[in-house]
Amino acid sequence: MSVDGTSATTMILDSKSGETLGRPFLYNESCPDALPIVKSIAPENHTVCLGSSTLCKLVSWWNSSDTDKGSVVLMHQADWLLWLLHGKLGISDYNNALKVGYDPELESYPSWLLSQPYSNALPSVIAPGKPIGHLKEDITQKHGFSNDCVVCTGTTDSIAAFLAARATQPGKAVTSLGSTLAIKLLSTRRIEDARYGVYSHRLDDKWLVGGASNTGGAVLRQIFTDEQLEKLSKQIDPSEASPLDYYPLQTAGERFPVADPNMMPRLLPRPESDVQYLHGILESIARIEGKAYSLLKGMGATPVEEVFTAGGGSKNEKWIKIRERVLGVPVSRAIQTEAAYGAALLALKGMEGNI
Ligand code: ADP
């Protein structure tokens, strides 16, 4: 059994009783009070140097809570759920622990973190998909699981979704076309740049490089209904390049592949034909996707060779063809994209030694 959870959703518990010492911090919550402190201790552009990082949440709690701090442990959402299943408090995996500052290359917390007063609250970390222990007896009996059911370390939601697509070779990538556009590329080299929100998760001996743009399906939904999207898309000729050049955003600000907090959405001029308009928007998003993969290559990642697609936009066959032309690599819809499927593969790996 294994579990994935939203990365940077953070819980702080009493390490003896397991009781929560405050409300959970949600993944997208920002702790601006802690950011200057974190920036002063971490290397420049480190993944923790974001107000929503797990480390900012820990520092913010540490500096504002008047709870006794003698026995405190930090757990991510997946760690906590797994703890309910196996009963050993304070265990995490190196995917979830990345945003608290764990170094998956050195397989330890860095010295700048270990010298902090809250270092005792950091969970111990092992690889994702490693057996932790047997399922607790009461749960086994109550729900009728087999007595040899083993609970393995988990991972984050987005990594589990990537694992589901079974893109196991360097150069294989998954683009998620949901409300936003997120890309994940398997690379032999680790790359990081907090300016673009680019960071790498370790997957055994490879690196899963990721970045997320603010463009994506949410903008499409502001202009067209899903039914219109389907009808209009059918009339697009994907072999023709659209001359329309947009930068579809819901609100001002972009992070990746252009780091510009003031970037304005560009969705004009709107041609009379809705088919042409949609073609221009889909093609513009494809160009942003292409730029994203080029940026990762420029930063030193393995060049993209094949793209699988997840999310609501993946069902649009015409868009897949447009993207194939713009990206210059094969693009297809991923067969499996549910994070739960990826977590199940991780559990399988825990039992068999490989996926
Ligand atoms: P979320 O990120 O919210 O989980 P989903 O993966 O459910 O998003 O995808 C929803 C998005 O898919 C919507 O924003 C919508 O614009 C987009 N979408 C739905 N149908 C189509 C289509 N036929 N072509 C392109 N995009 C589509």
mmCIF file of all heavy atoms in Angstrom, residues 250-301:
data_model
loop_
_atom_site.group_PDB
_atom_site.id
_atom_site.type_symbol
_atom_site.label_atom_id
_atom_site.label_comp_id
_atom_site.label_asym_id
_atom_site.label_seq_id
_atom_site.Cartn_x
_atom_site.Cartn_y
_atom_site.Cartn_z
ATOM 1 N N GLN A 250 -5.076 34.127 -17.177
ATOM 2 C CA GLN A 250 -6.317 34.569 -16.532
ATOM 3 C C GLN A 250 -6.152 35.962 -15.939
ATOM 4 O O GLN A 250 -7.036 36.788 -15.975
ATOM 5 C CB GLN A 250 -6.687 33.595 -15.421
ATOM 6 C CG GLN A 250 -7.627 32.509 -15.868
ATOM 7 C CD GLN A 250 -8.122 31.730 -14.681
ATOM 8 O OE1 GLN A 250 -7.327 31.258 -13.861
ATOM 9 N NE2 GLN A 250 -9.416 31.594 -14.565
ATOM 10 N N THR A 251 -4.991 36.148 -15.323
ATOM 11 C CA THR A 251 -4.670 37.455 -14.728
ATOM 12 C C THR A 251 -3.213 37.764 -15.043
ATOM 13 O O THR A 251 -2.500 36.899 -15.562
ATOM 14 C CB THR A 251 -4.831 37.407 -13.188
ATOM 15 O OG1 THR A 251 -4.114 36.259 -12.712
ATOM 16 C CG2 THR A 251 -6.270 37.308 -12.745
ATOM 17 N N ALA A 252 -2.777 38.957 -14.686
ATOM 18 C CA ALA A 252 -1.392 39.352 -14.974
ATOM 19 C C ALA A 252 -0.419 38.451 -14.208
ATOM 20 O O ALA A 252 -0.706 38.008 -13.094
ATOM 21 C CB ALA A 252 -1.180 40.801 -14.594
ATOM 22 N N GLY A 253 0.732 38.178 -14.809
ATOM 23 C CA GLY A 253 1.792 37.459 -14.101
ATOM 24 C C GLY A 253 2.077 36.089 -14.663
ATOM 25 O O GLY A 253 1.157 35.290 -14.895
ATOM 26 N N GLU A 254 3.336 35.839 -14.949
ATOM 27 C CA GLU A 254 3.773 34.526 -15.446
ATOM 28 C C GLU A 254 5.079 34.154 -14.750
ATOM 29 O O GLU A 254 5.859 35.018 -14.335
ATOM 30 C CB GLU A 254 3.943 34.592 -16.974
ATOM 31 C CG GLU A 254 4.526 33.361 -17.650
ATOM 32 C CD GLU A 254 3.678 32.091 -17.504
ATOM 33 O OE1 GLU A 254 3.266 31.783 -16.369
ATOM 34 O OE2 GLU A 254 3.475 31.391 -18.519
ATOM 35 N N ARG A 255 5.311 32.869 -14.625
ATOM 36 C CA ARG A 255 6.443 32.370 -13.873
ATOM 37 C C ARG A 255 7.391 31.572 -14.748
ATOM 38 O O ARG A 255 8.601 31.673 -14.664
ATOM 39 C CB ARG A 255 5.843 31.474 -12.778
ATOM 40 C CG ARG A 255 6.780 30.900 -11.810
ATOM 41 C CD ARG A 255 6.807 31.812 -10.593
ATOM 42 N NE ARG A 255 7.899 31.394 -9.745
ATOM 43 C CZ ARG A 255 7.805 30.454 -8.854
ATOM 44 N NH1 ARG A 255 6.671 29.839 -8.668
ATOM 45 N NH2 ARG A 255 8.849 30.124 -8.133
ATOM 46 N N PHE A 256 6.783 30.719 -15.601
ATOM 47 C CA PHE A 256 7.544 29.766 -16.380
ATOM 48 C C PHE A 256 6.820 29.528 -17.692
ATOM 49 O O PHE A 256 5.600 29.318 -17.668
ATOM 50 C CB PHE A 256 7.651 28.451 -15.582
ATOM 51 C CG PHE A 256 8.233 27.286 -16.321
ATOM 52 C CD1 PHE A 256 9.602 27.210 -16.549
ATOM 53 C CD2 PHE A 256 7.414 26.268 -16.798
ATOM 54 C CE1 PHE A 256 10.146 26.121 -17.231
ATOM 55 C CE2 PHE A 256 7.952 25.181 -17.474
ATOM 56 C CZ PHE A 256 9.329 25.116 -17.682
ATOM 57 N N PRO A 257 7.453 29.610 -18.856
ATOM 58 C CA PRO A 257 8.892 29.721 -19.106
ATOM 59 C C PRO A 257 9.424 31.163 -19.146
ATOM 60 O O PRO A 257 10.568 31.373 -19.532
ATOM 61 C CB PRO A 257 9.037 29.075 -20.489
ATOM 62 C CG PRO A 257 7.729 29.347 -21.163
ATOM 63 C CD PRO A 257 6.695 29.388 -20.086
ATOM 64 N N VAL A 258 8.585 32.142 -18.751
ATOM 65 C CA VAL A 258 9.051 33.526 -18.648
ATOM 66 C C VAL A 258 8.771 33.958 -17.212
ATOM 67 O O VAL A 258 7.631 33.813 -16.754
ATOM 68 C CB VAL A 258 8.249 34.453 -19.605
ATOM 69 C CG1 VAL A 258 8.767 35.878 -19.534
ATOM 70 C CG2 VAL A 258 8.303 33.934 -21.031
ATOM 71 N N ALA A 259 9.771 34.440 -16.506
ATOM 72 C CA ALA A 259 9.542 34.879 -15.132
ATOM 73 C C ALA A 259 9.258 36.377 -15.159
ATOM 74 O O ALA A 259 10.166 37.192 -15.252
ATOM 75 C CB ALA A 259 10.760 34.564 -14.264
ATOM 76 N N ASP A 260 7.958 36.717 -15.154
ATOM 77 C CA ASP A 260 7.571 38.129 -15.200
ATOM 78 C C ASP A 260 6.258 38.308 -14.439
ATOM 79 O O ASP A 260 5.171 38.058 -14.962
ATOM 80 C CB ASP A 260 7.407 38.564 -16.674
ATOM 81 C CG ASP A 260 6.960 40.019 -16.781
ATOM 82 O OD1 ASP A 260 6.765 40.668 -15.746
ATOM 83 O OD2 ASP A 260 6.785 40.484 -17.924
ATOM 84 N N PRO A 261 6.342 38.753 -13.172
ATOM 85 C CA PRO A 261 5.124 38.867 -12.356
ATOM 86 C C PRO A 261 4.140 39.892 -12.909
ATOM 87 O O PRO A 261 2.978 39.911 -12.513
ATOM 88 C CB PRO A 261 5.652 39.304 -10.977
ATOM 89 C CG PRO A 261 7.047 39.795 -11.201
ATOM 90 C CD PRO A 261 7.561 39.141 -12.445
ATOM 91 N N ASN A 262 4.592 40.753 -13.839
ATOM 92 C CA ASN A 262 3.699 41.785 -14.375
ATOM 93 C C ASN A 262 3.231 41.489 -15.799
ATOM 94 O O ASN A 262 2.594 42.329 -16.416
ATOM 95 C CB ASN A 262 4.404 43.150 -14.372
ATOM 96 C CG ASN A 262 4.857 43.512 -12.972
ATOM 97 O OD1 ASN A 262 4.098 43.358 -12.027
ATOM 98 N ND2 ASN A 262 6.098 43.945 -12.843
ATOM 99 N N MET A 263 3.564 40.313 -16.318
ATOM 100 C CA MET A 263 3.183 40.020 -17.711
ATOM 101 C C MET A 263 1.661 40.099 -17.874
ATOM 102 O O MET A 263 0.904 39.546 -17.088
ATOM 103 C CB MET A 263 3.666 38.628 -18.116
ATOM 104 C CG MET A 263 3.300 38.316 -19.552
ATOM 105 S SD MET A 263 3.630 36.634 -19.951
ATOM 106 C CE MET A 263 5.078 36.829 -20.919
ATOM 107 N N MET A 264 1.230 40.824 -18.905
ATOM 108 C CA MET A 264 -0.204 40.986 -19.135
ATOM 109 C C MET A 264 -0.721 39.887 -20.062
ATOM 110 O O MET A 264 -0.015 39.475 -20.981
ATOM 111 C CB MET A 264 -0.489 42.351 -19.786
ATOM 112 C CG MET A 264 -0.180 43.541 -18.877
ATOM 113 S SD MET A 264 -1.065 43.472 -17.310
ATOM 114 C CE MET A 264 -2.743 43.789 -17.856
ATOM 115 N N PRO A 265 -1.973 39.429 -19.832
ATOM 116 C CA PRO A 265 -2.559 38.466 -20.771
ATOM 117 C C PRO A 265 -2.647 39.100 -22.159
ATOM 118 O O PRO A 265 -2.877 40.304 -22.258
ATOM 119 C CB PRO A 265 -3.976 38.243 -20.222
ATOM 120 C CG PRO A 265 -3.992 38.831 -18.859
ATOM 121 C CD PRO A 265 -2.893 39.817 -18.760
ATOM 122 N N ARG A 266 -2.433 38.299 -23.210
ATOM 123 C CA ARG A 266 -2.564 38.815 -24.579
ATOM 124 C C ARG A 266 -3.518 37.901 -25.345
ATOM 125 O O ARG A 266 -3.156 36.771 -25.669
ATOM 126 C CB ARG A 266 -1.186 38.871 -25.238
ATOM 127 C CG ARG A 266 -1.158 39.729 -26.503
ATOM 128 C CD ARG A 266 0.243 40.008 -26.999
ATOM 129 N NE ARG A 266 0.891 38.832 -27.541
ATOM 130 C CZ ARG A 266 1.986 38.278 -27.061
ATOM 131 N NH1 ARG A 266 2.575 38.788 -25.996
ATOM 132 N NH2 ARG A 266 2.507 37.207 -27.620
ATOM 133 N N LEU A 267 -4.722 38.383 -25.601
ATOM 134 C CA LEU A 267 -5.744 37.568 -26.284
ATOM 135 C C LEU A 267 -6.412 38.338 -27.418
ATOM 136 O O LEU A 267 -7.506 38.006 -27.852
ATOM 137 C CB LEU A 267 -6.788 37.109 -25.276
ATOM 138 C CG LEU A 267 -6.338 35.926 -24.404
ATOM 139 C CD1 LEU A 267 -7.128 35.853 -23.122
ATOM 140 C CD2 LEU A 267 -6.454 34.611 -25.169
ATOM 141 N N LEU A 268 -5.767 39.393 -27.862
ATOM 142 C CA LEU A 268 -6.276 40.228 -28.940
ATOM 143 C C LEU A 268 -5.222 40.328 -30.040
ATOM 144 O O LEU A 268 -4.031 40.176 -29.733
ATOM 145 C CB LEU A 268 -6.597 41.636 -28.412
ATOM 146 C CG LEU A 268 -7.749 41.715 -27.396
ATOM 147 C CD1 LEU A 268 -7.842 43.112 -26.824
ATOM 148 C CD2 LEU A 268 -9.076 41.309 -28.037
ATOM 149 N N PRO A 269 -5.575 40.564 -31.297
ATOM 150 C CA PRO A 269 -6.921 40.800 -31.804
ATOM 151 C C PRO A 269 -7.711 39.505 -31.947
ATOM 152 O O PRO A 269 -7.125 38.469 -32.230
ATOM 153 C CB PRO A 269 -6.651 41.414 -33.182
ATOM 154 C CG PRO A 269 -5.338 40.821 -33.602
ATOM 155 C CD PRO A 269 -4.555 40.638 -32.343
ATOM 156 N N ARG A 270 -9.024 39.608 -31.715
ATOM 157 C CA ARG A 270 -9.899 38.439 -31.870
ATOM 158 C C ARG A 270 -10.467 38.418 -33.285
ATOM 159 O O ARG A 270 -11.167 39.354 -33.676
ATOM 160 C CB ARG A 270 -11.041 38.511 -30.839
ATOM 161 C CG ARG A 270 -11.977 37.334 -30.957
ATOM 162 C CD ARG A 270 -12.956 37.263 -29.806
ATOM 163 N NE ARG A 270 -13.835 36.111 -29.975
ATOM 164 C CZ ARG A 270 -14.537 35.560 -29.002
ATOM 165 N NH1 ARG A 270 -14.451 36.042 -27.779
ATOM 166 N NH2 ARG A 270 -15.305 34.519 -29.218
ATOM 167 N N PRO A 271 -10.130 37.384 -34.074
ATOM 168 C CA PRO A 271 -10.670 37.331 -35.431
ATOM 169 C C PRO A 271 -12.174 37.058 -35.405
ATOM 170 O O PRO A 271 -12.711 36.632 -34.371
ATOM 171 C CB PRO A 271 -9.917 36.146 -36.057
ATOM 172 C CG PRO A 271 -9.478 35.333 -34.915
ATOM 173 C CD PRO A 271 -9.347 36.210 -33.728
ATOM 174 N N GLU A 272 -12.838 37.319 -36.514
ATOM 175 C CA GLU A 272 -14.286 37.092 -36.571
ATOM 176 C C GLU A 272 -14.628 35.620 -36.388
ATOM 177 O O GLU A 272 -15.608 35.274 -35.746
ATOM 178 C CB GLU A 272 -14.832 37.566 -37.911
ATOM 179 C CG GLU A 272 -15.323 38.988 -37.832
ATOM 180 C CD GLU A 272 -15.855 39.489 -39.143
ATOM 181 O OE1 GLU A 272 -16.453 38.694 -39.888
ATOM 182 O OE2 GLU A 272 -15.647 40.687 -39.409
ATOM 183 N N SER A 273 -13.782 34.756 -36.927
ATOM 184 C CA SER A 273 -14.060 33.320 -36.845
ATOM 185 C C SER A 273 -13.602 32.752 -35.501
ATOM 186 O O SER A 273 -12.440 32.878 -35.116
ATOM 187 C CB SER A 273 -13.325 32.609 -37.988
ATOM 188 O OG SER A 273 -13.029 31.288 -37.614
ATOM 189 N N ASP A 274 -14.553 32.113 -34.814
ATOM 190 C CA ASP A 274 -14.214 31.477 -33.519
ATOM 191 C C ASP A 274 -13.251 30.309 -33.720
ATOM 192 O O ASP A 274 -12.450 30.000 -32.840
ATOM 193 C CB ASP A 274 -15.485 30.998 -32.817
ATOM 194 C CG ASP A 274 -16.146 32.127 -32.046
ATOM 195 O OD1 ASP A 274 -15.524 33.210 -31.921
ATOM 196 O OD2 ASP A 274 -17.286 31.931 -31.575
ATOM 197 N N VAL A 275 -13.374 29.640 -34.885
ATOM 198 C CA VAL A 275 -12.461 28.524 -35.159
ATOM 199 C C VAL A 275 -11.026 29.048 -35.241
ATOM 200 O O VAL A 275 -10.100 28.496 -34.628
ATOM 201 C CB VAL A 275 -12.850 27.797 -36.478
ATOM 202 C CG1 VAL A 275 -11.852 26.696 -36.801
ATOM 203 C CG2 VAL A 275 -14.250 27.227 -36.373
ATOM 204 N N GLN A 276 -10.856 30.151 -35.966
ATOM 205 C CA GLN A 276 -9.517 30.742 -36.081
ATOM 206 C C GLN A 276 -9.013 31.224 -34.719
ATOM 207 O O GLN A 276 -7.832 31.107 -34.402
ATOM 208 C CB GLN A 276 -9.543 31.926 -37.039
ATOM 209 C CG GLN A 276 -9.476 31.522 -38.499
ATOM 210 C CD GLN A 276 -9.554 32.746 -39.400
ATOM 211 O OE1 GLN A 276 -9.257 33.859 -38.991
ATOM 212 N NE2 GLN A 276 -9.967 32.522 -40.634
ATOM 213 N N TYR A 277 -9.942 31.793 -33.929
ATOM 214 C CA TYR A 277 -9.542 32.314 -32.608
ATOM 215 C C TYR A 277 -9.036 31.167 -31.726
ATOM 216 O O TYR A 277 -7.957 31.233 -31.141
ATOM 217 C CB TYR A 277 -10.743 33.007 -31.964
ATOM 218 C CG TYR A 277 -10.391 33.846 -30.743
ATOM 219 C CD1 TYR A 277 -9.201 34.552 -30.675
ATOM 220 C CD2 TYR A 277 -11.278 33.938 -29.662
ATOM 221 C CE1 TYR A 277 -8.905 35.333 -29.563
ATOM 222 C CE2 TYR A 277 -10.986 34.717 -28.547
ATOM 223 C CZ TYR A 277 -9.799 35.420 -28.501
ATOM 224 O OH TYR A 277 -9.493 36.179 -27.399
ATOM 225 N N LEU A 278 -9.840 30.077 -31.673
ATOM 226 C CA LEU A 278 -9.439 28.927 -30.851
ATOM 227 C C LEU A 278 -8.126 28.329 -31.368
ATOM 228 O O LEU A 278 -7.238 27.992 -30.577
ATOM 229 C CB LEU A 278 -10.551 27.871 -30.838
ATOM 230 C CG LEU A 278 -10.231 26.607 -30.037
ATOM 231 C CD1 LEU A 278 -9.993 26.933 -28.559
ATOM 232 C CD2 LEU A 278 -11.353 25.575 -30.153
ATOM 233 N N HIS A 279 -8.016 28.227 -32.691
ATOM 234 C CA HIS A 279 -6.773 27.695 -33.283
ATOM 235 C C HIS A 279 -5.579 28.529 -32.803
ATOM 236 O O HIS A 279 -4.541 27.990 -32.374
ATOM 237 C CB HIS A 279 -6.900 27.723 -34.815
ATOM 238 C CG HIS A 279 -5.788 27.016 -35.529
ATOM 239 N ND1 HIS A 279 -5.816 26.775 -36.874
ATOM 240 C CD2 HIS A 279 -4.606 26.506 -35.098
ATOM 241 C CE1 HIS A 279 -4.709 26.136 -37.243
ATOM 242 N NE2 HIS A 279 -3.961 25.974 -36.166
ATOM 243 N N GLY A 280 -5.746 29.863 -32.855
ATOM 244 C CA GLY A 280 -4.662 30.762 -32.426
ATOM 245 C C GLY A 280 -4.311 30.564 -30.958
ATOM 246 O O GLY A 280 -3.130 30.554 -30.576
ATOM 247 N N ILE A 281 -5.339 30.372 -30.111
ATOM 248 C CA ILE A 281 -5.082 30.211 -28.670
ATOM 249 C C ILE A 281 -4.379 28.868 -28.412
ATOM 250 O O ILE A 281 -3.381 28.795 -27.687
ATOM 251 C CB ILE A 281 -6.394 30.306 -27.852
ATOM 252 C CG1 ILE A 281 -6.997 31.705 -28.002
ATOM 253 C CG2 ILE A 281 -6.128 30.014 -26.388
ATOM 254 C CD1 ILE A 281 -8.383 31.847 -27.378
ATOM 255 N N LEU A 282 -4.910 27.793 -29.041
ATOM 256 C CA LEU A 282 -4.307 26.461 -28.822
ATOM 257 C C LEU A 282 -2.862 26.451 -29.316
ATOM 258 O O LEU A 282 -1.965 25.900 -28.665
ATOM 259 C CB LEU A 282 -5.121 25.372 -29.541
ATOM 260 C CG LEU A 282 -6.557 25.150 -29.047
ATOM 261 C CD1 LEU A 282 -7.214 24.025 -29.844
ATOM 262 C CD2 LEU A 282 -6.601 24.830 -27.559
ATOM 263 N N GLU A 283 -2.636 27.096 -30.452
ATOM 264 C CA GLU A 283 -1.280 27.130 -31.009
ATOM 265 C C GLU A 283 -0.356 27.973 -30.116
ATOM 266 O O GLU A 283 0.811 27.626 -29.901
ATOM 267 C CB GLU A 283 -1.331 27.703 -32.434
ATOM 268 C CG GLU A 283 0.021 27.743 -33.109
ATOM 269 C CD GLU A 283 0.056 26.957 -34.425
ATOM 270 O OE1 GLU A 283 -0.967 26.394 -34.846
ATOM 271 O OE2 GLU A 283 1.146 26.900 -35.013
ATOM 272 N N SER A 284 -0.881 29.062 -29.576
ATOM 273 C CA SER A 284 -0.062 29.912 -28.697
ATOM 274 C C SER A 284 0.313 29.157 -27.421
ATOM 275 O O SER A 284 1.442 29.258 -26.935
ATOM 276 C CB SER A 284 -0.820 31.192 -28.343
ATOM 277 O OG SER A 284 -1.093 31.929 -29.514
ATOM 278 N N ILE A 285 -0.633 28.391 -26.877
ATOM 279 C CA ILE A 285 -0.316 27.595 -25.668
ATOM 280 C C ILE A 285 0.730 26.534 -26.024
ATOM 281 O O ILE A 285 1.657 26.268 -25.256
ATOM 282 C CB ILE A 285 -1.594 26.983 -25.041
ATOM 283 C CG1 ILE A 285 -2.535 28.097 -24.562
ATOM 284 C CG2 ILE A 285 -1.240 26.060 -23.878
ATOM 285 C CD1 ILE A 285 -3.870 27.619 -23.976
ATOM 286 N N ALA A 286 0.599 25.956 -27.231
ATOM 287 C CA ALA A 286 1.593 24.961 -27.674
ATOM 288 C C ALA A 286 2.982 25.599 -27.780
ATOM 289 O O ALA A 286 3.991 24.982 -27.430
ATOM 290 C CB ALA A 286 1.173 24.367 -29.018
ATOM 291 N N ARG A 287 3.032 26.852 -28.260
ATOM 292 C CA ARG A 287 4.336 27.531 -28.355
ATOM 293 C C ARG A 287 4.927 27.775 -26.969
ATOM 294 O O ARG A 287 6.130 27.662 -26.760
ATOM 295 C CB ARG A 287 4.195 28.847 -29.123
ATOM 296 C CG ARG A 287 4.170 28.658 -30.644
ATOM 297 C CD ARG A 287 4.373 29.979 -31.356
ATOM 298 N NE ARG A 287 3.232 30.866 -31.190
ATOM 299 C CZ ARG A 287 2.217 30.985 -32.069
ATOM 300 N NH1 ARG A 287 2.244 30.302 -33.193
ATOM 301 N NH2 ARG A 287 1.215 31.799 -31.836
ATOM 302 N N ILE A 288 4.059 28.097 -25.993
ATOM 303 C CA ILE A 288 4.540 28.299 -24.614
ATOM 304 C C ILE A 288 5.092 26.969 -24.084
ATOM 305 O O ILE A 288 6.143 26.915 -23.447
ATOM 306 C CB ILE A 288 3.404 28.844 -23.709
ATOM 307 C CG1 ILE A 288 2.976 30.230 -24.210
ATOM 308 C CG2 ILE A 288 3.854 28.896 -22.252
ATOM 309 C CD1 ILE A 288 1.677 30.745 -23.602
ATOM 310 N N GLU A 289 4.382 25.881 -24.396
ATOM 311 C CA GLU A 289 4.849 24.542 -23.980
ATOM 312 C C GLU A 289 6.221 24.256 -24.609
ATOM 313 O O GLU A 289 7.134 23.772 -23.931
ATOM 314 C CB GLU A 289 3.815 23.498 -24.426
ATOM 315 C CG GLU A 289 4.146 22.082 -23.982
ATOM 316 C CD GLU A 289 3.139 21.057 -24.540
ATOM 317 O OE1 GLU A 289 2.227 21.441 -25.308
ATOM 318 O OE2 GLU A 289 3.305 19.866 -24.219
ATOM 319 N N GLY A 290 6.354 24.578 -25.911
ATOM 320 C CA GLY A 290 7.633 24.356 -26.602
ATOM 321 C C GLY A 290 8.751 25.164 -25.965
ATOM 322 O O GLY A 290 9.861 24.669 -25.755
ATOM 323 N N LYS A 291 8.420 26.409 -25.622
ATOM 324 C CA LYS A 291 9.416 27.285 -24.993
ATOM 325 C C LYS A 291 9.831 26.719 -23.621
ATOM 326 O O LYS A 291 10.985 26.805 -23.221
ATOM 327 C CB LYS A 291 8.792 28.677 -24.836
ATOM 328 C CG LYS A 291 9.798 29.774 -24.726
ATOM 329 C CD LYS A 291 9.119 31.122 -24.907
ATOM 330 C CE LYS A 291 10.129 32.194 -24.541
ATOM 331 N NZ LYS A 291 9.595 33.524 -24.527
ATOM 332 N N ALA A 292 8.860 26.134 -22.940
ATOM 333 C CA ALA A 292 9.131 25.554 -21.621
ATOM 334 C C ALA A 292 10.143 24.403 -21.746
ATOM 335 O O ALA A 292 11.120 24.335 -20.992
ATOM 336 C CB ALA A 292 7.830 25.068 -20.988
ATOM 337 N N TYR A 293 9.905 23.505 -22.714
ATOM 338 C CA TYR A 293 10.851 22.393 -22.890
ATOM 339 C C TYR A 293 12.221 22.909 -23.346
ATOM 340 O O TYR A 293 13.258 22.382 -22.923
ATOM 341 C CB TYR A 293 10.292 21.357 -23.874
ATOM 342 C CG TYR A 293 9.226 20.477 -23.240
ATOM 343 C CD1 TYR A 293 7.899 20.508 -23.661
ATOM 344 C CD2 TYR A 293 9.554 19.622 -22.185
ATOM 345 C CE1 TYR A 293 6.925 19.716 -23.066
ATOM 346 C CE2 TYR A 293 8.580 18.826 -21.584
ATOM 347 C CZ TYR A 293 7.264 18.888 -22.032
ATOM 348 O OH TYR A 293 6.316 18.097 -21.417
ATOM 349 N N SER A 294 12.245 23.960 -24.183
ATOM 350 C CA SER A 294 13.530 24.525 -24.620
ATOM 351 C C SER A 294 14.286 25.132 -23.449
ATOM 352 O O SER A 294 15.510 25.002 -23.346
ATOM 353 C CB SER A 294 13.325 25.640 -25.653
ATOM 354 O OG SER A 294 12.667 25.154 -26.750
ATOM 355 N N LEU A 295 13.534 25.801 -22.574
ATOM 356 C CA LEU A 295 14.188 26.422 -21.409
ATOM 357 C C LEU A 295 14.840 25.352 -20.529
ATOM 358 O O LEU A 295 15.983 25.503 -20.092
ATOM 359 C CB LEU A 295 13.167 27.232 -20.603
ATOM 360 C CG LEU A 295 13.715 27.935 -19.359
ATOM 361 C CD1 LEU A 295 14.614 29.120 -19.736
ATOM 362 C CD2 LEU A 295 12.591 28.444 -18.465
ATOM 363 N N LEU A 296 14.120 24.241 -20.322
ATOM 364 C CA LEU A 296 14.683 23.164 -19.494
ATOM 365 C C LEU A 296 15.948 22.598 -20.137
ATOM 366 O O LEU A 296 16.941 22.331 -19.463
ATOM 367 C CB LEU A 296 13.661 22.041 -19.284
ATOM 368 C CG LEU A 296 12.390 22.411 -18.512
ATOM 369 C CD1 LEU A 296 11.531 21.175 -18.308
ATOM 370 C CD2 LEU A 296 12.720 23.052 -17.171
ATOM 371 N N LYS A 297 15.916 22.454 -21.472
ATOM 372 C CA LYS A 297 17.091 21.961 -22.183
ATOM 373 C C LYS A 297 18.252 22.951 -22.001
ATOM 374 O O LYS A 297 19.389 22.554 -21.727
ATOM 375 C CB LYS A 297 16.744 21.800 -23.669
ATOM 376 C CG LYS A 297 17.858 21.221 -24.506
ATOM 377 C CD LYS A 297 17.419 21.097 -25.952
ATOM 378 C CE LYS A 297 18.621 20.949 -26.853
ATOM 379 N NZ LYS A 297 18.261 21.143 -28.260
ATOM 380 N N GLY A 298 17.941 24.244 -22.144
ATOM 381 C CA GLY A 298 18.961 25.277 -21.967
ATOM 382 C C GLY A 298 19.558 25.257 -20.562
ATOM 383 O O GLY A 298 20.720 25.622 -20.359
ATOM 384 N N MET A 299 18.764 24.836 -19.588
ATOM 385 C CA MET A 299 19.260 24.767 -18.198
ATOM 386 C C MET A 299 20.067 23.494 -17.965
ATOM 387 O O MET A 299 20.605 23.293 -16.882
ATOM 388 C CB MET A 299 18.072 24.781 -17.224
ATOM 389 C CG MET A 299 17.376 26.114 -17.113
ATOM 390 S SD MET A 299 15.891 25.908 -16.088
ATOM 391 C CE MET A 299 15.400 27.612 -15.855
ATOM 392 N N GLY A 300 20.085 22.587 -18.955
ATOM 393 C CA GLY A 300 20.918 21.389 -18.824
ATOM 394 C C GLY A 300 20.162 20.084 -18.693
ATOM 395 O O GLY A 300 20.772 19.028 -18.490
ATOM 396 N N ALA A 301 18.830 20.121 -18.816
ATOM 397 C CA ALA A 301 18.051 18.874 -18.691
ATOM 398 C C ALA A 301 18.163 18.051 -19.979
ATOM 399 O O ALA A 301 18.489 18.586 -21.041
ATOM 400 C CB ALA A 301 16.587 19.204 -18.422
#
